[in-house]
Amino acid sequence: ENFWSMNILCTDKTGTLTEGTVRMHSVLDLEGKESEEVFLLAYVNSSFETGFSNPIDQAILSYGKPNISGFQKLDEVPYDFNRKRLSILATFGSENAKQIAEHIIVTKGALKNVLEVCTSAMLAGEVVEISVVGDQIQDRFLELSSQGFRVLGLAKKIVQTDVLQARDEKDMTFLGFLVFFDPLREGIVDTVHDLSRLGISLKIITGDNRMVAASISKQVGPMG
């Protein structure tokens, strides 16, 4: 097809309208404040994971360099497309890690899938029931998504084991949000404008949620 016989052009979003790169924008607690603690545990999770190399972990590891020398990895449940979570079991501050009674599970993943294994949340330094802050979490997610950000969740759990299995992902405490963005491609706004001037409408087909897609649409301008 050539453009003179076309009136609708369908396109992917990631890597076509955007650069196709993932960059970390912020790490937030439930109150929407930047959180060093949340980032520290997200960094532990990404540093110790041994699954396939992925842009999310690379973005987290590039965002900062907290000191995690005191942490030791004990076990891992890798990410899979059913759970949509990645969990690391670690300990802190001892060379005899397996002799310590308490260890920590750190889980990150799609917000919905992290929340489904949480029964509590950390709010202003206190642990509260997840039902108390459920609306607050969803409102924050909607706010960030409407701005075009991709949002993951992070949770933790203290356990007395040195072996981790997927069934241990339960009764966790939700900690906060990992916020990412994918910048627009250079010149894409002019390209979309030229298409519109030629009478060609642009339609976005994407696997991202509709709020992220709507935000990108607004950023590139009228699409015919």
Side-chain angles (χ1 to χ4, degrees):
E1 282 294 328
N2 61 62
F3 286 114
W4 300 111
S5 61
M6 181 189 302
N7 54 26
I8 296 176
L9 175 64
C10 296
T11 178
D12 183 26
K13 177 183 68 66
T14 305
T16 304
L17 300 179
T18 66
E19 292 181 0
T21 60
V22 178
R23 301 180 190 177
M24 176 159 265
H25 175 268
S26 53
V27 184
L28 308 176
D29 61 17
L30 265 68
E31 298 177 282
K33 300 176 182 177
E34 282 277 348
S35 172
E36 293 183 3
E37 178 188 0
V38 176
F39 179 60
L40 173 66
L41 292 181
Y43 195 91
V44 167
N45 180 286
S46 293
S47 295
F48 289 150
E49 76 94 10
T50 57
F52 61 90
S53 177
N54 66 86
I56 292 293
D57 287 319
Q58 293 171 11
I60 292 172
L61 296 177
S62 298
Y63 190 67
K65 300 293 181 185
N67 181 9
I68 63 167
S69 60
F71 286 89
Q72 293 176 279
K73 177 183 176 181
L74 300 178
D75 207 351
E76 172 181 5
V77 178
Y79 180 92
D80 66 62
F81 290 98
N82 292 319
R83 291 167 39 255
K84 295 185 179 179
R85 298 184 295 264
L86 165 66
S87 290
I88 296 293
L89 175 64
T91 190
F92 180 80
S94 173
E95 295 181 357
N96 300 314
K98 293 190 177 183
Q99 296 179 14
I100 300 179
E102 292 187 345
H103 301 140
I104 184 171
I105 302 173
V106 182
T107 299
K108 78 171 185 298
L111 183 64
K112 176 183 176 182
N113 298 71
V114 170
L115 288 175
E116 71 184 15
V117 297
C118 291
T119 55
S120 61
M122 187 68 67
L123 178 64
E126 296 185 3
V127 177
V128 300
E129 293 293 322
I130 194 72
S131 58
V132 174
V133 293
D135 290 343
Q136 182 177 340
I137 292 172
Q138 289 304 318
D139 288 346
R140 185 75 59 192
F141 172 71
L142 293 174
E143 176 189 358
L144 293 167
S145 295
S146 67
Q147 297 173 31
F149 295 117
R150 180 178 180 184
V151 183
L152 301 186
L154 189 82
K156 72 175 182 179
K157 177 183 177 182
I158 302 300
V159 294
Q160 296 181 340
T161 180
D162 53 26
V163 177
L164 180 62
Q165 300 184 56
R167 64 171 178 261
D168 297 318
E169 296 175 331
K170 63 179 181 179
D171 301 326
M172 302 193 75
T173 299
F174 183 76
L175 299 178
F177 310 89
L178 311 178
V179 185
F180 304 89
F181 71 105
D182 181 7
L184 290 179
R185 274 188 178 276
E186 184 178 356
I188 195 63
V189 174
D190 292 336
T191 299
V192 172
H193 175 75
D194 290 342
L195 289 171
S196 180
R197 182 174 52 83
L198 292 169
I200 300 171
S201 297
L202 191 67
K203 307 296 182 184
I204 299 177
I205 301 174
T206 178
D208 282 339
N209 73 58
R210 61 182 178 85
M211 291 172 291
V212 172
S215 175
I216 293 297
S217 299
K218 291 178 182 178
Q219 292 178 51
V220 299
M223 298 190 294

